[in-house]
Amino acid sequence: MKRAAAYLSLALVILVLASPVTAEKRAITFDDLISMGRIGSFEVSPDGRNVAFTVTWFCKKSNKSNTDIYLVPLKGGEPYRFVRSESSDNSPCWSPDGKKLAFVSTRGGSPQIWVIPVDGGEAKKVTDIPTGVSAPIWSPDGKRFAFTSSVYPDCADMDCNKKKLEEAENSKVKARMIDHLLFRHWNYWREGLWDHLFIVDADGNNLVEINKGRTDVPPISLGGYRDYDFSPDGKEICYTLNPDPMVAISTNNDVWIVPVEGGEAKNLTADNPANDNNPRYSPDGRYIAWRSMARAGFEADRQTLTLYDRRSGKKTTLTGEFDFSIGNFDWAPNSRDIYFCTQDKGRYSIGKVSVKGGDAKLVVTGAYDNNLRVAADGKTLVFSRQRVNEPTELYRSSTSGKKITQLTGINADLRAELEMNPIEEFWFEGAEGRQVHGLITKPPFFEEGKKYPMILLIHGGPQGAFSDNFHYRWNVQMFASPGYVVATVNFTGSTGYGQDFTDAISGDWGGAPYEDIMKGVDYILENYDYIDAERIGAAGASYGGYMINWIEGHTDRFVCLVSHAGVYNLESMYGSTEELWFPEWEYEGTPWTNVEMYEKFSPHRFAAEFKTPCFVIHGEHDYRVPYTQGLEFFTALQRQGVESKLLFFPDEYHFVAKPQNAELWWASLHEWFENHLKQ
């Protein structure tokens, strides 16, 4: 009792001393950004009691990250770390009764399925797959798991795969013999491996391989949140697979069904040569819903929601009149309604459509809400929410969009210390009279009457958008923190503004989008008198890097530029990238069938006009925009005496992922802008 009283007295003293003083806020730093817990995937338990979710923590000192699994009661309460180890623990999935949680862990070496009781007990390893396990789901009858694994297509069993892996690891010869496209993707070489779907008993026995040979489940690109699902009776599984022989030029992902015991698979979407993905059975088993595109070869086509009636075989488009793409979606328990996420003018909203179709509407708007789940009571939605000044947390609401309640506060204490301003919005008339949306964020501790330099950020895609979200890589607050206004323009081609607006960039990369950006800067300078017109810089990555490279040859209105992973030479880019359907759609053919288009909008054709100081950044393992694009651009700048620097990462890809590399990235950007915009 004396010890307890002493602790209470000490606490009261601290409270009294601290209460009159309000802690001063500060601008965000890199150490703040890298120390934030990043919420990833989550699943609501079948009994509706808990939400399991992952949080990834980065350590700058070790230059690594680690992912743990947390639980939070759906009705409210303090989240707690439920599964943790020195290894990665991820991909939580619930047993049908909600009493156990399965997950993938590397604690035993390779990633395998582990299971832990929710009410107490130790985790036990279930699988021992030589090629490892990814993204398991538990069958509704509790008897099986489905998962994917990268395997050798000519192997008939796991013993063969194990032998081949060991031979590759021990061989002194590391040469690659390649006889197909595509042989590398994003940041990895395929190494003769293909992703196959497997089903295994809940005790780890009786492994069944669903797809065979040179096919991938999930598809190598353009898939959904999860591209396989068990039927409610556990007897069938549906999945997404591209059957075409050269996937490098094909967006033809199809939805297939097959008995879980194995057998002949049936293609449900053979009549659609475009992309179908993310199939989900209705809870009563009558329907399968999936996302569909209409145009083959176009990766940014509108995603509509298709309904397949398993009784009649009839397919219906539910959201044909809804002019926005369907993101992830989830069935209501009544099997009559589907809830979905969709990009919505710089944000993400949650919508609803019935199985009758034609009645899609938005029910939760105003923030960046994504990755929704419908709870077992049919009355509650669970989703992740973020804003440009708020890191991602989990929320719940009623299915009508009311009673929105925050479930987690992983970064609440740190967030309370930081001065981060919200976005402000503006609209202006862009190319061809189209209305264009822009976002602007003031620096911390903004002072009225003071003039500020501005950084214009240009998004990638190009069918993408800057939104009201807390982007951990191109973080608006980190750009603003040294004292800059940060502006973005969702130019022609951006997503979330209707499909016609998105379509308009194809075949016009340096046309309307460039005009929109220039008119956007004009509008900002005319309407925001706190911006210094003589101190404006611009930065972009991927297509945003392309636009920086294009700007370099077409205007000198910016004081300095930053091009990260930017496309520079359209012709050489075609010959070294991986997903060929993309340039063939965007530039309307190949370099030998449409020479004019590849020449018209290639920044390297305008190198003689380069004048503006430019900072070039690239990663060696970037196979989407190979690093030689950055080298070509930097060479042209240096050859003509244009002030320029090259930051080259031999261990990064299209993104900068490692903490110490990211710290260097931010420090170098801040130094570059300091030298050019603050002088």
Side-chain angles (χ1 to χ4, degrees), residues 320-470:
E321 303 302 317
F322 188 71
D323 197 25
F324 299 96
S325 280
I326 303 301
N328 89 291
F329 65 89
D330 200 17
W331 280 94
N334 63 14
S335 295
R336 297 193 300 270
D337 299 307
I338 299 174
Y339 292 84
F340 59 85
C341 297
T342 185
Q343 277 187 283
D344 180 19
K345 300 178 181 64
R347 293 179 172 83
Y348 252 87
S349 296
I350 296 174
K352 173 187 177 182
V353 66
S354 75
V355 294
K356 295 178 180 178
D359 56 355
K361 63 179 181 179
L362 300 180
V363 295
V364 182
T365 62
Y368 195 95
D369 299 327
N370 207 353
N371 304 320
L372 77 93
R373 300 289 184 275
V374 184
D377 62 5
K379 301 176 181 179
T380 307
L381 302 178
V382 182
F383 50 90
S384 62
R385 167 170 284 193
Q386 57 181 307
R387 291 187 173 90
V388 77
N389 58 338
E390 296 177 13
T392 300
E393 299 289 352
L394 296 184
Y395 284 73
R396 74 166 192 264
S397 78
S398 68
T399 51
S400 64
K402 299 178 180 178
K403 299 179 181 179
I404 298 176
T405 304
Q406 187 170 340
L407 290 175
T408 65
I410 297 298
N411 297 298
D413 291 344
L414 177 58
R415 170 66 186 90
E417 299 175 10
L418 304 177
E419 178 76 8
M420 298 190 292
N421 288 316
I423 63 165
E424 299 175 24
E425 302 177 64
F426 59 92
W427 291 83
F428 63 94
E429 186 175 290
E432 301 182 16
R434 287 186 285 258
Q435 287 297 301
V436 178
H437 189 204
L439 310 172
I440 197 164
T441 305
K442 294 175 181 176
F445 313 109
F446 176 83
E447 299 178 28
E448 294 289 347
K450 184 177 178 180
K451 288 280 189 178
Y452 289 88
M454 185 183 85
I455 298 174
L456 177 74
L457 299 183
I458 304 173
H459 72 68
Q463 294 90 354
F466 266 116
S467 304
D468 187 13
N469 65 322
F470 196 83

